[in-house]
Amino acid sequence: ARLPQPCGGACPWMMESDGEGAGIYEADGDEDRAEEEPEEEPEEPPPAEAPQADPKSDLAFLLPSLFRDRAATVWLDYPAYMGMQREQGRGVLVELTDPRLKPLYFRSEKNINCITNACKRSGFKRLIKGQSFNLYWGRHLNEKALRALNPHQAVNHFPGSYGIGRKDYLWRNLSRMQRQHGAAYDFCAKSYILPRDREHFERDYEEGTVYIIKPPAQAEGRGIRLINRSDQLPGKGVSAIVQRYLGEPYLINGKKFDLRIYVAVTSFDPLRVYVFEEGLARFATSDYRAPGASKRSIKDRYMHLTNYSVNKRNERFERNTDASRDDEGSKWSLSATMKHLAQAGADVRALRERIHDLVVKTIIAVEVAHAPTRHRVASHSGGLPHHCATVRSHRSCQR
């Protein structure tokens, strides 16, 4: 959220969409309403291993921008349970004291703990109703909604960033870049968008080969399955992504895993990308066997999928409750994973460089496709990058 300015009028539009910015609705009512403070009630103490929620704060601090002629940003410190402070920039902080600019408000479509807690400990109040927010965290806004934003308002998506978030749009962007740039974009398995590419897939289909089917706009492993017969394909008219399954993944302790890399895009023009130094490795909870080994193994989601939402239901899921032992359990830190790979003989520096290369190329792929939309909105609003930021977690599959 950027340094707010006194608001001469509320943003009159919010939106409701399936990922394409389709559909908006009028602002709800004339009066804005903030979340009411609940009365203090005795609470059951949380388990000893559970982190305590940070107390709410009425103080907000501003961090001057490193870039010339850019507004200051609201300072977000680390949560107290981490036992550490964010040091970079702390010496130049300025407290926000202008009563015309306080309090700061954020609005979200649903209560996401990490967003709500980060905002409330940084001086924000949650806006339940109305449009006088400083920060909106929710679905993609369409052009009309973005044009209606005031200069002091920030949202969490650039227009067109669903071109990365949806599996079908992602493949359209990457396949276009593959045709234009060849081997530079060879990091994604060949994919087929059903029903559009059904005839193409049936022509390329090899009996006995294992394929993975994914819904184009779902998350948390919902609807993902493996097939090895053509009659297992979704029915005609059903939307899906089909890819040849990578049957020889790199394993750690006999299990599949993925890397979750956290990436923040704060500007597309110029392109400005930040990659967080930490991340996660998420593990499957059944030892891996090639899906052709048995009919049963192809249906074992705990073996083939690494999604936390899937594997947490397995009795073999191992929770890690000790941050100092981050190379145990079903989730590891990225640094612990890299250390393990280095000990196994991997060139970790080269691996990180390839991951960063993959991240930038993926963002460039969607940037090219949606630049016209961003430029139209920017020319109207006077500077789209000041309104938007996209934070994505990227999965880097190990082969």
Side-chain angles (χ1 to χ4, degrees):
R2 296 177 301 107
L3 173 64
Q5 300 295 329
C7 179
C11 172
W13 307 98
M14 293 290 287
M15 66 92 62
E16 196 170 51
S17 84
D18 60 357
E20 297 188 53
I24 55 177
Y25 59 89
E26 292 279 1
D28 42 4
D30 296 324
E31 295 185 4
D32 294 350
R33 179 167 64 86
E35 182 179 52
E36 296 180 2
E37 296 291 337
E39 295 183 6
E40 293 292 333
E41 296 182 0
E43 296 182 353
E44 292 290 331
E49 67 273 10
Q52 296 273 351
D54 286 342
K56 301 174 184 177
S57 175
D58 293 325
L59 301 179
F61 293 90
L62 303 177
L63 178 65
S65 176
L66 294 174
F67 301 97
R68 188 173 59 184
D69 300 326
R70 292 295 300 272
T73 55
V74 177
W75 171 264
L76 301 176
D77 208 342
Y78 298 139
Y81 68 80
M82 292 181 64
M84 58 188 298
Q85 290 184 328
R86 179 181 168 195
E87 296 299 338
Q88 187 176 11
R90 182 176 291 275
V92 295
L93 293 181
V94 178
E95 183 180 351
L96 177 62
T97 57
D98 190 335
R100 298 174 302 165
L101 307 180
K102 296 181 66 176
L104 302 176
Y105 288 106
F106 77 98
R107 181 167 178 175
S108 57
E109 293 176 349
K110 59 183 180 179
N111 185 37
I112 305 172
N113 285 338
C114 62
I115 302 301
T116 298
N117 294 340
C119 288
K120 287 186 175 181
R121 70 171 178 264
S122 304
F124 284 82
K125 295 183 181 297
R126 187 178 182 189
L127 192 68
I128 301 299
K129 179 181 179 181
Q131 310 304 321
S132 57
F133 54 82
N134 300 95
L135 172 65
Y136 170 74
W137 191 281
R139 300 180 183 180
H140 296 263
L141 303 183
N142 61 19
E143 284 190 47
K144 190 173 185 179
L146 285 167
R147 289 178 177 180
L149 291 174
N150 286 303
H152 71 283
Q153 295 179 305
V155 299
N156 65 320
H157 288 299
F158 284 93
S161 57
Y162 51 80
I164 294 177
R166 282 185 57 123
K167 299 177 182 69
D168 50 353
Y169 296 162
L170 174 61
W171 171 243
R172 288 176 185 173
N173 289 321
L174 292 180
S175 62
R176 184 190 68 255
M177 299 300 277
Q178 283 183 356
R179 292 192 297 271
Q180 295 175 358
H181 302 286
Y185 275 81
D186 66 354
F187 51 79
C188 185
K190 185 174 182 179
S191 306
Y192 303 86
I193 301 175
L194 303 184
R196 185 194 72 178
D197 298 335
R198 192 180 189 95
E199 183 177 343
H200 187 193
F201 173 75
E202 291 174 346
R203 184 189 66 205
D204 294 346
Y205 174 77
E206 298 177 13
E207 193 68 36
T209 299
V210 178
Y211 297 87
I212 186 167
I213 297 178
K214 308 173 185 178
Q218 290 288 352
E220 300 178 345
R222 289 189 292 266
I224 298 179
R225 59 192 177 92
L226 273 59
I227 67 169
N228 59 0
R229 301 197 315 270
S230 59
D231 60 359
Q232 296 171 322
L233 276 174
K236 293 184 177 180
V238 176
S239 296
I241 290 288
V242 181
Q243 297 172 309
R244 183 186 292 267
Y245 187 66
L246 302 179
E248 298 181 359
Y250 188 98
L251 306 177
I252 291 181
N253 298 332
K255 293 180 174 61
K256 282 187 64 175
F257 68 100
D258 69 25
L259 300 182
R260 179 151 285 211
I261 312 295
Y262 293 93
V263 179
V265 181
T266 59
S267 171
F268 272 94
D269 188 11
L271 183 60
R272 189 174 293 128
V273 183
Y274 298 90
V275 180
F276 187 45
E277 61 188 11
E278 261 298 1
L280 292 173
R282 307 180 307 169
F283 287 81
T285 46
S286 292
D287 288 345
Y288 182 78
R289 297 192 306 274
S294 69
K295 293 182 180 179
R296 186 176 181 179
S297 68
I298 200 172
K299 297 182 179 180
D300 190 342
R301 288 164 59 82
Y302 299 137
M303 180 189 301
H304 299 292
L305 303 186
T306 55
N307 305 75
Y308 166 73
S309 299
V310 172
N311 284 282
K312 69 179 181 180
R313 298 186 176 92
N314 191 350
E315 61 182 12
R316 292 187 293 273
F317 182 84
E318 299 179 26
R319 296 187 180 276
N320 187 321
T321 58
D322 186 348
S324 65
R325 304 174 67 177
D326 55 352
D327 59 351
E328 298 179 357
S330 297
K331 278 188 180 182
W332 291 11
S333 70
L334 179 62
S335 56
T337 307
M338 291 297 181
K339 181 178 179 180
H340 176 94
L341 294 174
Q343 292 172 345
D347 186 342
V348 169
R349 181 176 180 179
L351 174 60
R352 284 187 178 273
E353 290 177 352
R354 290 184 64 187
I355 290 174
H356 292 171
D357 182 68
L358 184 155
V359 167
V360 172
K361 287 177 178 176
T362 302
I363 293 169
I364 289 174
V366 70
E367 191 276 338
V368 170
H370 297 284
T373 302
R374 281 189 290 274
H375 289 159
R376 284 196 302 271
V377 175
S379 64
H380 183 278
S381 67
L384 180 64
H386 299 284
H387 285 305
C388 306
T390 290
V391 179
R392 301 292 308 173
S393 60
H394 173 77
R395 293 179 198 160
S396 177
C397 298
Q398 302 294 310
R399 296 185 65 176

